[in-house]
Amino acid sequence: MLWSTLLLALREIRRNVLRSFLTMLGIVIGVAAVITMVTLGKGATQAIADQVSSLGSNLLIVRPGQRLGPGATSAAPPFKMADVIAIQEQVPLVRSIAPTVTRGMTIVAGARNWSTTVTGSTNAWFGTGNWQLAAGREFSEAEERGGQAVCVIGETVRRELFGGQDPLGLSIRVKGFSCEVIGLLVSKGQSAFGSDQDDTVVMPLKTAQRRITGSQDISALRISVQDEAAIDQAKRQITLLLRERRNITDNEDDNFSVLDTRQITETLSSTTKVMTTLLGAVAAVSLLVGGIGIMNIMLVSVTERTREIGIRLAIGALEREVLLQFLIEAVVLSSLGGIIGIMLATAASIGLAAVMQLPYLFDPAINLLSFLFSAAIGVLFGYFPARRAAQLDPIDALRHE
Amino acid sequence: MSENHEPAIMRSNQTSIPLIEFSQVTKYYGSGTAGFQALRGVDLSINEGDFVAIMGPSGSGKSTAMNILGCLDTPTSGSYLFQGVPVEQLDRNQRALLRRTYLGFVFQGFNLLARTTAQENVELPLLYRGEKRSARHQAAQAALKSVGLDGFAHHTPAELSGGQQQRVAIARAIVTRPQVLLADEPTGNLDSLTSHEIMQLLTSLNHELGITVVMVTHEPDMAEYARRVIHFRDGQVERLQHNGGHD
Ligand SMILES: Nc1ncnc2c1ncn2[C@@H]1O[C@H](COP(=O)(O)OP(=O)(O)O)[C@@H](O)[C@H]1O
Ligand SMILES: [Mg+2]
């Protein structure tokens, strides 16, 4: 009985392919929108998480000034090497600490030049930033201590300056001095903020201070914490220590900021979340509209098929059997819409993820949920028309033209 | 006018309770002064195996009586016993069950499902009885054969003549082996030759399968086939007529 009712419903839907399709369209779009939003949202969140963790694990970034932006304000003095040593000695939760100075500048190799970011730091920079070397080596102790003219370059810099050439042992010119390339970083791609992380040149801190900035100042500290659970504690201890060292009184605000990567993740993914919620709401409304569309067509169908219903009732169909027939028809219609929506969403998600350079993460839960939801819409919005059909008076229905 | 006949008395070989028994059945359509009294106290009784024709002028309440007989409608007052069961006390669902179990319907307008084959139309009542696919198939084939439509199982109503459509409708009505076949003007839309063929078919179903047949007609030719004729006028039974030479 159930099986033949199902076949009957499918036949009714096939009889009016175009109308059935248009009826389903609301559900199709709703389901496709929901799934695509959630899938892309997940992909975006994942991408952010990946990128932030590629900044470095359990990373704290300490800068002078109070804003997450480049450079310090005039009121905020830079850090000195003594600060670095103090943190290293007094905060045991710190695993390693990379003092950095950064400058944007143009570098030259042969006939080519390229504008990039030059960073001066220690070997700790590689560990705190999760950088691997594709070729060559890190700085030797002598190079660090002596501030020698050596550098490690990122993939983008290599491509722009050296093309297909092996850069190791070659030289680049930075602000009038020649610097030997001793290492090449493994490519990381874009950062969470959209900048190219591979567009970088690193040299020993002393080299940069002596030959580029001309001072002992340190513009930022990249600190790797022992483990994730200790991040908050480490942050507190570092803050206290720096306040003390920078002579900040109790009623004054910090003139430096300690940022952790988790915070960055949260900031970025909260934006994504808002977007997903907003678009999800739009999708939900479209599902509702789809449901109303189904109800409308089912009511039309009941009217059109009044005579058929009369025949069925007259020859002994029970009320609930007629109800079931129309309910199943509505559910088949909406579920079919759901299935088409899922297929559309899969195609759209894969396509959009590729365009937006996000990972495509298939989420079975949201697909299943959407399918069940679309079926539920069929039940919800099909019930009223189905009940109307079931409660028809067989004599009136038979007389209906 | 002969009121308050006791129709049962007219049956010579009366044995058990009648299959169908109306006593003082009335039907009032609508309400108040706008309403209409379609039946004004109908008494009638039909035994198993009978072949009854209901005749009368248009608007005399024949279809109303048939609808009540077929448990599609309920009387406003009076009582209707089907096999001794008071139908007016049954709810909608129970009446549907009674219809699907004991009754077969043939309508003036055939009332077949459009775009649906003869075979599927005939199988329909079996579907609601929950019969298995193969059983449905066999029974429908047999029913189609018994109405002389062997080769037409896969034709849709649009591909059949009026007479053939009415045969499909009869096959659908008898496929469940009902006790009573109710036919409201079954030949109303057919030409005279085809009408006689349909009447012969009903007669043979009555004779050979023992199905009780109750039929409304306004054509005396057709009423000839019945054993008894009940004449309606103004919502009442006007007189009963016994056709000789059939028993
Ligand atoms: N549903 C209804 N509502 C109101 N009046 C009705 C309805 N059905 C039938 N009637 C009236 O009842 C009377 C008897 O109708 P009916 O039983 O169909 O007559 P017949 O079949 O003998 O021609 C007619 O006058 C008809 O107009
Ligand atoms: Mg009539």
Side-chain angles (χ1 to χ4, degrees):
Chain A
M1 183 71 205
L2 209 66
W3 179 241
S4 52
T5 314
L6 203 68
L7 289 179
L8 188 73
L10 284 172
R11 188 199 292 189
E12 281 304 326
I13 287 164
R14 254 211 329 265
R15 242 173 217 172
N16 235 323
V17 179
L18 183 64
R19 185 166 95 178
S20 302
F21 178 72
L22 291 176
T23 307
M24 286 182 233
L25 209 54
I27 302 282
V28 171
I29 292 171
V31 165
V34 167
I35 297 178
T36 308
M37 283 313 117
V38 172
T39 306
L40 289 182
K42 280 210 150 185
T45 310
Q46 180 67 48
I48 289 165
D50 287 351
Q51 283 165 349
V52 170
S53 81
S54 82
L55 280 178
S57 47
N58 311 333
L59 183 69
L60 295 176
I61 298 172
V62 187
R63 294 167 187 267
Q66 252 309 322
R67 292 194 145 264
L68 170 67
T73 56
S74 55
F79 302 115
K80 297 289 182 190
M81 204 56 205
D83 294 316
V84 177
I85 293 162
I87 293 172
Q88 218 147 29
E89 282 176 351
Q90 292 174 43
V91 185
L93 290 170
V94 168
R95 183 180 10 210
S96 64
I97 176 164
T100 62
V101 291
T102 313
R103 280 284 187 287
M105 52 204 335
T106 301
I107 51 179
V108 183
R112 304 198 210 191
N113 60 64
W114 181 247
S115 285
T116 185
T117 311
V118 177
T119 301
S121 191
T122 61
N123 272 336
W125 186 86
F126 298 100
T128 55
N130 271 356
W131 284 103
Q132 308 288 325
L133 288 179
R137 58 174 178 84
E138 296 182 358
F139 313 125
S140 72
E141 211 177 311
E143 284 163 346
E144 287 206 79
R145 214 168 339 108
Q148 290 177 24
V150 292
C151 63
V152 174
I153 61 173
E155 176 57 27
T156 304
V157 175
R158 184 203 63 74
R159 192 182 60 235
E160 295 298 334
L161 291 184
F162 299 104
Q165 248 181 309
D166 177 6
L168 293 186
L170 300 178
S171 287
I172 56 173
R173 291 194 66 76
V174 185
K175 205 189 176 188
F177 70 96
S178 188
C179 196
E180 187 196 344
V181 178
I182 58 164
L184 177 66
L185 296 167
V186 170
S187 172
K188 272 194 190 181
Q190 281 211 335
S191 77
F193 311 98
S195 63
D196 180 3
Q197 297 183 88
D198 299 329
D199 190 4
T200 195
V201 173
V202 199
M203 58 182 63
L205 181 68
K206 276 232 173 83
T207 316
Q209 285 175 332
R210 201 174 291 162
R211 305 218 185 188
I212 298 173
T213 66
S215 78
Q216 296 291 305
D217 294 350
I218 289 164
S219 56
L221 308 176
R222 299 170 73 89
I223 299 170
S224 178
V225 179
Q226 295 289 2
D227 74 302
E228 206 183 331
I231 284 184
D232 283 329
Q233 205 186 339
K235 210 168 149 179
R236 257 195 320 275
Q237 291 176 3
I238 291 166
T239 304
L240 275 176
L241 179 62
L242 286 176
R243 281 179 73 91
E244 190 187 306
R245 290 185 60 81
R246 291 161 83 88
N247 297 319
I248 300 169
T249 56
D250 285 352
N251 50 12
E252 273 179 310
D253 282 338
D254 298 346
N255 62 1
F256 60 93
S257 61
V258 185
L259 210 78
D260 69 69
T261 45
R262 222 180 20 189
Q263 227 172 331
I264 303 171
T265 317
E266 275 165 18
T267 314
L268 291 172
S269 57
S270 74
T271 322
T272 319
K273 228 173 254 168
V274 169
M275 286 291 285
T276 310
T277 312
L278 216 67
L279 292 166
V282 171
V285 169
S286 110
L287 277 179
L288 186 76
V289 172
I292 294 169
I294 285 187
M295 174 139 83
N296 183 33
I297 285 299
M298 288 310 293
L299 282 172
V300 169
S301 176
V302 167
T303 309
E304 278 178 359
R305 288 153 67 193
T306 299
R307 221 175 149 79
E308 174 200 323
I309 297 162
I311 295 168
R312 290 177 184 275
L313 288 169
I315 64 170
L318 302 181
E319 221 170 279
R320 60 177 156 83
E321 288 164 343
V322 174
L323 184 97
L324 198 68
Q325 181 191 336
F326 280 86
L327 207 53
I328 284 180
E329 212 171 298
V331 171
V332 168
L333 210 55
S334 66
S335 314
L336 221 54
I339 291 171
I340 296 174
I342 287 172
M343 296 193 298
L344 203 66
T346 307
S349 306
I350 292 175
L352 284 172
V355 170
M356 294 162 76
Q357 297 188 311
L358 296 173
Y360 169 72
L361 302 171
F362 179 76
D363 185 346
I366 190 67
N367 280 278
L368 185 70
L369 203 71
S370 298
F371 176 74
L372 293 178
F373 195 72
S374 62
I377 279 182
V379 175
L380 197 70
F381 289 92
Y383 182 77
F384 174 67
R387 205 190 51 166
R388 176 177 274 201
Q391 290 183 344
L392 281 176
D393 178 52
I395 301 167
D396 289 343
L398 280 173
R399 260 205 292 264
H400 191 267
E401 276 313 318
Chain B
M1 223 194 247
S2 54
E3 289 184 34
N4 294 328
H5 266 288
E6 293 294 337
I9 295 169
M10 297 193 60
R11 296 287 300 172
S12 48
N13 54 349
Q14 172 70 33
T15 49
S16 58
I17 53 162
L19 186 63
I20 285 167
E21 189 159 34
F22 270 30
S23 48
Q24 284 303 305
V25 166
T26 71
K27 182 71 191 180
Y28 191 79
Y29 285 117
S31 59
T33 48
F36 185 84
Q37 188 79 45
L39 295 180
R40 312 166 180 268
V42 173
D43 291 312
L44 59 83
S45 157
I46 297 165
N47 286 317
E48 200 161 348
D50 210 346
F51 188 162
V52 177
I54 296 176
M55 290 195 76
S58 183
S60 58
K62 306 183 296 291
S63 293
T64 305
M66 278 297 263
N67 289 337
I68 294 173
L69 248 153
C71 303
L72 289 165
D73 207 351
T74 47
T76 307
S77 72
S79 100
Y80 168 23
L81 296 178
F82 183 87
Q83 293 188 329
V85 176
V87 174
E88 69 276 3
Q89 287 172 22
L90 303 179
D91 64 21
R92 206 174 129 99
N93 219 23
Q94 290 168 317
R95 278 186 280 125
L97 285 169
L98 192 151
R99 283 201 297 278
R100 78 157 67 154
T101 317
Y102 298 108
L103 308 177
F105 291 88
V106 177
F107 307 93
Q108 176 175 359
F110 318 140
N111 279 335
L112 299 174
L113 294 189
R115 294 167 299 190
T116 306
T117 64
Q119 168 95 27
E120 288 168 314
N121 263 291
V122 175
E123 282 186 25
L124 199 58
L126 300 173
L127 198 68
Y128 287 116
R129 283 187 169 204
E131 306 234 350
K132 287 218 170 59
R133 195 184 159 80
S134 59
R136 292 204 305 263
H137 241 72
Q138 267 177 6
Q141 295 279 0
L144 280 170
K145 191 169 182 202
S146 70
V147 299
L149 283 179
D150 303 47
F152 295 87
H154 300 293
H155 288 56
T156 61
E159 298 161 358
L160 295 169
S161 72
Q164 287 170 327
Q165 287 185 55
Q166 196 60 302
R167 282 170 190 273
V168 174
I170 292 171
R172 182 181 65 191
I174 62 166
V175 75
T176 57
R177 297 266 163 181
Q179 268 179 303
V180 189
L181 183 69
L182 298 159
D184 194 345
E185 308 210 30
T187 61
N189 287 2
L190 301 175
D191 62 63
S192 151
L193 184 69
T194 317
S195 297
H196 282 285
E197 284 171 13
I198 293 294
M199 291 319 299
Q200 278 151 16
L201 177 58
L202 292 181
T203 309
S204 78
L205 292 174
N206 175 249
H207 279 222
E208 280 150 36
L209 301 177
I211 297 175
T212 309
V213 178
V214 183
M215 165 190 85
V216 170
T217 182
H218 58 263
E219 296 166 87
D221 285 17
M222 304 301 134
E224 289 273 304
Y225 288 89
R227 231 179 249 125
R228 290 196 301 139
V229 184
I230 302 174
H231 291 271
F232 267 63
R233 181 176 293 277
D234 296 331
Q236 284 176 315
V237 175
E238 184 191 35
R239 74 193 158 84
L240 295 162
Q241 171 195 334
H242 195 87
N243 287 345
H246 278 283
D247 285 319

